[in-house]
Amino acid sequence: NEMVDKFFEVIVGGNVYLISKGTLKPARKEYNHLPNDYEIQLENGSTVEQCYEDDAAIPRNRFRFCYISDVENMESNSIVDLIGIVLSISPTGLIMRKSGTEVQKKAFRLMDISGRSVEVTMWGNFCNAEGQRLQSLCDSGAFPVLAVKAGRVSEFNGKQVSTIGSSQLYVEPDFPEAREVREWYEREGRNAPCISISRVSSGVGRQEIRKVITQIKEEN
């Protein structure tokens, strides 16, 4: 509520902050997908101050990467970190929500060292920044490395992964796991067989044919 308005403009991802006078509570797992047992709730007396001298001991990113082959046996709504090669990507489309508002959607196929691939769907603003960069790289013939932080598993035509509000996408990141994936792909992955755990693609590399209902009826 009012704490959102107070701190929303203050907190920016990637910065270091000193947080004081928060209340420590058991983590509410239905809203908090981190593996921690506790969370801090900010209240009226809480303060959040940016530290302009970064502490090098604080890790910038903390990933818990799993293989795409593991996603196949996960329950829907599980939160995962993935890293792999983007094999193909679809144009951005618009989806009408039940509320009557439109949202952007863009899907791509991600393959990793397990020899499996999965369809990953980007929603909303992810389609613009990271989505357009991925599109440009794929259009140029490149197969970029992508790390997905906090993607949500869903079960629709097989397993799929999609972005949520707290997801982060890293295109061609510079960390050891990314270099390992790139070396594997150049060495053997490029020519290795790949099995998709998403049975039917919802737009990746597929040409949509749009017709009005009367045409469909006339063509039986």
Side-chain angles (χ1 to χ4, degrees):
N1 297 325
E2 65 272 16
M3 293 302 99
V4 175
D5 297 329
K6 181 177 180 180
F7 294 119
F8 184 78
E9 299 294 340
V10 176
I11 300 172
V12 177
N15 292 342
V16 177
Y17 295 90
L18 178 65
I19 299 175
S20 301
K21 298 180 181 178
T23 301
L24 193 66
K25 296 185 175 184
R28 298 179 66 181
K29 293 300 184 180
E30 66 270 34
Y31 303 116
N32 185 345
H33 58 75
L34 298 176
N36 309 318
D37 294 327
Y38 298 94
E39 61 189 30
I40 297 173
Q41 181 172 309
L42 301 180
E43 299 174 338
N44 283 325
S46 304
T47 61
V48 178
E49 301 175 46
Q50 183 174 349
C51 303
Y52 291 96
E53 292 185 9
D54 290 354
D55 187 337
I58 300 175
R60 283 292 181 182
N61 304 302
R62 189 181 294 278
F63 295 94
R64 302 188 308 279
F65 289 122
C66 66
Y67 291 121
I68 293 174
S69 57
D70 297 330
V71 175
E72 196 165 12
N73 298 315
M74 290 183 179
E75 295 182 359
S76 292
N77 296 320
S78 298
I79 302 298
V80 295
D81 297 345
L82 300 173
I83 187 166
I85 298 287
V86 177
L87 299 178
S88 58
I89 190 167
S90 71
T92 301
L94 289 175
I95 299 294
M96 183 67 71
R97 287 175 167 159
K98 293 179 181 178
S99 62
T101 59
E102 288 186 326
V103 62
Q104 292 187 100
K105 174 186 177 182
K106 195 176 189 69
F108 60 87
R109 187 175 167 219
L110 189 72
M111 172 190 185
D112 73 1
I113 294 176
S114 70
R116 298 290 191 271
S117 69
V118 65
E119 182 173 307
V120 181
T121 301
M122 294 178 283
W123 295 98
N125 291 332
F126 288 107
C127 299
N128 297 325
E130 296 90 346
Q132 289 306 311
R133 187 178 175 198
L134 285 175
Q135 186 78 61
S136 298
L137 287 168
C138 290
D139 289 347
S140 69
F143 294 90
V145 175
L146 180 78
V148 179
K149 173 70 176 173
R152 181 168 59 196
V153 176
S154 61
E155 194 152 2
F156 178 74
N157 290 328
K159 287 290 172 44
Q160 299 185 11
V161 174
S162 60
T163 59
I164 56 177
S166 55
S167 299
Q168 292 176 289
L169 303 180
Y170 298 86
V171 182
E172 295 286 19
D174 183 21
F175 41 74
E177 294 91 343
R179 291 189 287 272
E180 181 184 0
V181 168
R182 171 60 64 195
E183 290 169 2
W184 166 81
Y185 183 73
E186 297 298 339
R187 184 178 63 251
E188 58 182 286
R190 185 186 299 271
N191 301 313
C194 180
I195 300 172
S196 175
I197 67 171
S198 307
R199 288 194 293 271
V200 178
S201 171
S202 60
V204 176
R206 186 179 70 181
Q207 184 65 39
E208 299 286 355
I209 301 174
R210 297 179 180 271
K211 298 183 179 184
V212 295
I213 293 174
T214 52
Q215 284 179 280
I216 297 170
K217 290 174 69 175
E218 289 168 0
E219 295 169 9
N220 294 315

